[in-house]
Amino acid sequence: DKIQESDDVIYVYCHQKNRSTICPKCNEKISSVHSIHSRKIQDLPVQGKTVFLIPKVRHFHCRKCNLIFTEELEYASKTAHKTKRLTELILDHSCSISSLTSQSTLNKQGVIVKKSTICDYKKKRYS
Protein backbone atom coordinates (compact mmCIF):
# COMPACT_ATOMS: atom_id res chain seq x y z
CA ASP A 1 0.00 0.00 0.00
CA LYS A 2 2.74 2.43 1.02
CA ILE A 3 6.45 2.48 1.87
CA GLN A 4 8.13 4.88 4.32
CA GLU A 5 11.90 5.02 4.57
CA SER A 6 14.29 6.72 6.97
CA ASP A 7 18.07 6.48 7.38
CA ASP A 8 17.97 3.03 9.01
CA VAL A 9 14.37 1.72 8.86
CA ILE A 10 11.89 0.84 6.10
CA TYR A 11 8.17 0.48 6.85
CA VAL A 12 6.06 -1.44 4.33
CA TYR A 13 2.31 -0.97 4.80
CA CYS A 14 0.28 -3.80 3.23
CA HIS A 15 -2.93 -5.82 3.34
CA GLN A 16 -4.25 -9.22 2.26
CA LYS A 17 -5.85 -9.36 -1.18
CA ASN A 18 -8.35 -12.14 -0.47
CA ARG A 19 -11.82 -10.87 0.37
CA SER A 20 -12.96 -13.90 2.33
CA THR A 21 -11.61 -16.73 4.46
CA ILE A 22 -12.73 -20.03 5.95
CA CYS A 23 -14.02 -20.25 9.52
CA PRO A 24 -11.63 -22.47 11.53
CA LYS A 25 -14.53 -23.88 13.56
CA CYS A 26 -17.29 -24.69 11.04
CA ASN A 27 -15.40 -24.39 7.68
CA GLU A 28 -17.92 -21.86 6.36
CA LYS A 29 -16.72 -19.27 3.83
CA ILE A 30 -16.72 -15.90 5.63
CA SER A 31 -16.54 -12.38 4.24
CA SER A 32 -18.03 -10.48 7.18
CA VAL A 33 -15.28 -8.33 8.69
CA HIS A 34 -15.66 -7.62 12.40
CA SER A 35 -12.69 -5.24 12.77
CA ILE A 36 -9.27 -4.35 11.37
CA HIS A 37 -6.02 -3.65 13.16
CA SER A 38 -2.37 -3.22 12.19
CA ARG A 39 0.53 -5.42 13.24
CA LYS A 40 4.25 -4.64 13.20
CA ILE A 41 6.34 -7.57 11.96
CA GLN A 42 10.08 -7.39 11.35
CA ASP A 43 11.29 -8.89 8.05
CA LEU A 44 14.68 -9.49 6.44
CA PRO A 45 16.85 -6.37 6.29
CA VAL A 46 17.45 -4.60 2.98
CA GLN A 47 20.86 -3.01 2.39
CA GLY A 48 21.51 -2.93 6.15
CA LYS A 49 18.19 -1.24 6.93
CA THR A 50 15.70 -2.78 9.33
CA VAL A 51 12.43 -3.66 7.57
CA PHE A 52 9.04 -3.73 9.26
CA LEU A 53 5.90 -5.00 7.56
CA ILE A 54 2.75 -3.26 8.80
CA PRO A 55 -0.12 -5.43 7.54
CA LYS A 56 -3.76 -4.57 8.10
CA VAL A 57 -5.12 -7.72 9.73
CA ARG A 58 -8.84 -8.38 9.71
CA HIS A 59 -10.96 -10.04 12.36
CA PHE A 60 -13.79 -11.99 10.78
CA HIS A 61 -17.19 -12.82 12.29
CA CYS A 62 -18.79 -16.15 11.43
CA ARG A 63 -22.52 -15.76 11.77
CA LYS A 64 -23.09 -19.51 11.61
CA CYS A 65 -21.09 -20.43 14.75
CA ASN A 66 -20.72 -16.87 16.16
CA LEU A 67 -16.93 -17.08 16.21
CA ILE A 68 -14.70 -14.02 15.84
CA PHE A 69 -11.24 -14.93 14.57
CA THR A 70 -8.17 -13.31 13.06
CA GLU A 71 -7.09 -13.98 9.50
CA GLU A 72 -3.82 -15.83 9.16
CA LEU A 73 -0.75 -14.43 7.46
CA GLU A 74 1.27 -16.99 5.52
CA TYR A 75 4.57 -15.28 6.37
CA ALA A 76 4.09 -14.96 10.18
CA SER A 77 2.23 -16.77 12.94
CA LYS A 78 -0.62 -15.03 14.76
CA THR A 79 1.51 -13.66 17.62
CA ALA A 80 4.92 -13.41 15.93
CA HIS A 81 6.91 -10.18 15.82
CA LYS A 82 9.24 -11.54 13.12
CA THR A 83 8.51 -13.23 9.80
CA LYS A 84 9.14 -16.96 9.41
CA ARG A 85 12.03 -16.32 7.02
CA LEU A 86 13.70 -13.88 9.42
CA THR A 87 13.36 -16.40 12.25
CA GLU A 88 15.03 -19.01 10.02
CA LEU A 89 17.86 -16.59 9.19
CA ILE A 90 18.42 -15.93 12.91
CA LEU A 91 18.48 -19.66 13.68
CA ASP A 92 20.80 -20.48 10.77
CA HIS A 93 23.14 -17.66 11.76
CA SER A 94 23.26 -18.64 15.42
CA CYS A 95 23.62 -22.42 15.05
CA SER A 96 27.43 -22.45 15.24
CA ILE A 97 28.19 -19.34 17.31
CA SER A 98 27.05 -18.01 20.67
CA SER A 99 23.76 -16.17 20.97
CA LEU A 100 25.55 -13.03 22.15
CA THR A 101 27.92 -13.01 19.15
CA SER A 102 24.99 -13.73 16.84
CA GLN A 103 22.98 -10.86 18.34
CA SER A 104 25.84 -8.43 17.79
CA THR A 105 26.46 -9.52 14.19
CA LEU A 106 22.77 -9.51 13.25
CA ASN A 107 22.20 -6.08 14.81
CA LYS A 108 24.98 -4.67 12.61
CA GLN A 109 23.18 -6.11 9.57
CA GLY A 110 19.86 -4.44 10.46
CA VAL A 111 18.17 -7.27 12.37
CA ILE A 112 16.82 -6.16 15.74
CA VAL A 113 17.06 -9.22 17.97
CA LYS A 114 17.91 -9.88 21.60
CA LYS A 115 20.04 -12.69 22.96
CA SER A 116 17.06 -14.07 24.89
CA THR A 117 14.99 -14.23 21.70
CA ILE A 118 17.74 -16.21 19.95
CA CYS A 119 17.87 -18.61 22.91
CA ASP A 120 14.07 -19.02 22.82
CA TYR A 121 14.16 -19.80 19.08
CA LYS A 122 16.88 -22.40 19.65
CA LYS A 123 14.92 -24.06 22.46
CA LYS A 124 11.82 -24.32 20.28
CA ARG A 125 13.75 -25.74 17.32
CA TYR A 126 15.83 -28.29 19.20
CA SER A 127 13.40 -29.49 21.84
Side-chain angles (χ1 to χ4, degrees):
D1 295 336
K2 172 174 85 168
I3 297 175
Q4 288 182 329
E5 187 174 350
S6 68
D7 291 339
D8 55 349
V9 181
I10 300 171
Y11 294 98
V12 179
Y13 295 84
C14 53
H15 69 279
Q16 298 280 82
K17 284 189 173 185
N18 56 340
R19 300 212 183 267
S20 62
T21 190
I22 303 296
C23 175
K25 187 174 179 181
C26 69
N27 293 325
E28 190 78 14
K29 186 175 179 180
I30 308 298
S31 58
S32 175
V33 176
H34 178 265
S35 60
I36 299 173
H37 74 277
S38 294
R39 287 183 58 191
K40 184 177 178 183
I41 305 169
Q42 186 179 355
D43 198 12
L44 296 173
V46 174
Q47 296 180 345
K49 293 185 179 190
T50 304
V51 175
F52 288 103
L53 304 177
I54 314 291
K56 290 179 185 174
V57 181
R58 297 170 291 184
H59 294 268
F60 286 93
H61 179 223
C62 178
R63 299 192 193 286
K64 183 176 180 181
C65 65
N66 204 32
L67 179 70
I68 296 173
F69 61 96
T70 305
E71 72 180 320
E72 292 188 29
L73 303 172
E74 62 185 58
Y75 51 85
S77 66
K78 289 184 180 184
T79 59
H81 296 281
K82 293 178 179 27
T83 60
K84 292 175 184 175
R85 64 187 188 172
L86 178 59
T87 303
E88 284 301 314
L89 173 83
I90 293 167
L91 281 165
D92 291 346
H93 187 273
S94 64
C95 68
S96 60
I97 58 176
S98 74
S99 297
L100 195 57
T101 304
S102 186
Q103 173 195 0
S104 176
T105 307
L106 288 166
N107 284 342
K108 289 176 187 171
Q109 295 174 7
V111 177
I112 300 170
V113 65
K114 296 179 182 177
K115 176 187 169 286
S116 59
T117 302
I118 296 170
C119 292
D120 288 345
Y121 287 163
K122 284 181 174 183
K123 285 179 190 174
K124 287 178 186 174
R125 177 184 260 185
Y126 300 116
S127 60

